[in-house]
Amino acid sequence: IAFATIKSICYAKNIKIIGVSSLESLYQNIKSFDGLKLALIEARKGSVYANIYRDDKKIKENLDLTYKELIELIDSISDKNEIITLCGDGFSKNKEFFFESLKNNSKNYKINSLDNSFNIIKASNSILLSECRIKAGDFDDIFSLAPLYLRKSEAENKKEENSEKKQNAAMTLSMLISLAFAVGLFIALPYFIVNLIGIEEKSHVIS
């Protein structure tokens, strides 16, 4: 709704628009730190959306992972004694889990402990990310610009589930009708054969 509102205002007022990733904007809070850095947004259902960087290079983006999957991914791409910095509400709401999971590790990670201001997506970061594009005149098309959804909404999932149930019900009904027809034919066929033989015998008698 907020996205549609912004687009409507820009269209009505003929204002240029630039789309900025929330994860990219969040990452700006920890950009200056060394080592492995993760921008995390709470995605509910025990999962997070994530971008992962090493130094200032993005190595993974737009991930949708459970907490356990994220820890396993960190273990697979990190170095021993590496400094790890996490930020975002995906981290702050699950801080104890991440600290405990990463500290109890044979790689002996060094985890940065930051205050809550690092977990907020700031408008100033979005402006900073847009600055170069503004100067270059690189704006997004207001009609084609759309949010990046990393996961389907509950409504979409329910719609697909209901559609699948309807398809399965229709298929089951079709199979039952075919089965009923086959059973009916199996039961009725001997009767037809007997009648046919009777008609043939009568025709011989008449002849």
Side-chain angles (χ1 to χ4, degrees), residues 128-193:
L128 183 66
L129 290 169
S130 304
E131 191 175 6
C132 291
R133 291 185 60 184
I134 292 170
K135 289 179 179 178
D138 180 21
F139 299 100
D140 287 309
D141 177 67
I142 195 168
F143 298 106
S144 61
L145 182 64
L148 174 61
Y149 293 113
L150 301 183
R151 181 190 299 169
K152 292 179 180 178
S153 66
E154 286 295 322
E156 288 177 305
N157 287 331
K158 285 182 180 179
K159 184 178 179 181
E160 287 186 359
E161 186 179 335
N162 290 336
S163 177
E164 187 175 341
K165 285 181 180 178
K166 287 179 181 178
Q167 288 179 356
N168 290 339
M171 189 179 297
T172 302
L173 180 61
S174 177
M175 290 174 64
L176 287 173
I177 292 172
S178 298
L179 180 61
F181 178 78
V183 171
L185 186 62
F186 178 78
I187 294 171
L189 189 59
Y191 174 77
F192 289 138
I193 293 173

Side-chain angles (χ1 to χ4, degrees), residues 32-178:
S32 61
F33 291 91
D34 295 325
L36 196 68
K37 295 170 284 188
L38 294 89
L40 307 174
I41 294 177
E42 174 64 26
R44 300 180 184 179
K45 297 183 177 179
S47 60
V48 292
Y49 301 133
N51 274 10
I52 303 177
Y53 307 78
R54 174 168 280 112
D55 297 324
D56 199 27
K57 181 181 178 182
K58 187 193 304 178
I59 56 177
K60 300 282 184 180
E61 67 175 334
N62 299 330
L63 302 175
D64 180 4
L65 302 170
T66 64
Y67 305 150
K68 184 180 178 181
E69 288 172 341
L70 182 63
I71 295 298
E72 290 173 351
L73 178 58
I74 292 172
D75 286 340
S76 69
I77 63 177
S78 61
D79 300 322
K80 191 173 182 179
N81 300 319
E82 187 161 25
I83 299 171
I84 298 179
T85 306
L86 305 96
C87 72
D89 65 350
F91 165 63
S92 62
K93 291 181 178 180
N94 309 283
K95 187 178 293 186
E96 291 182 4
F97 170 81
F98 286 115
F99 269 114
E100 184 178 345
S101 300
L102 292 171
K103 282 185 175 180
N104 298 331
N105 190 288
S106 59
K107 288 189 175 181
N108 193 30
Y109 299 126
K110 296 176 176 63
I111 306 167
N112 277 321
S113 182
L114 310 175
D115 65 62
N116 197 51
S117 65
F118 288 88
N119 299 317
I120 301 169
I121 298 174
K122 301 174 182 176
S124 57
N125 288 341
S126 297
I127 294 170
L128 183 66
L129 290 169
S130 304
E131 191 175 6
C132 291
R133 291 185 60 184
I134 292 170
K135 289 179 179 178
D138 180 21
F139 299 100
D140 287 309
D141 177 67
I142 195 168
F143 298 106
S144 61
L145 182 64
L148 174 61
Y149 293 113
L150 301 183
R151 181 190 299 169
K152 292 179 180 178
S153 66
E154 286 295 322
E156 288 177 305
N157 287 331
K158 285 182 180 179
K159 184 178 179 181
E160 287 186 359
E161 186 179 335
N162 290 336
S163 177
E164 187 175 341
K165 285 181 180 178
K166 287 179 181 178
Q167 288 179 356
N168 290 339
M171 189 179 297
T172 302
L173 180 61
S174 177
M175 290 174 64
L176 287 173
I177 292 172
S178 298

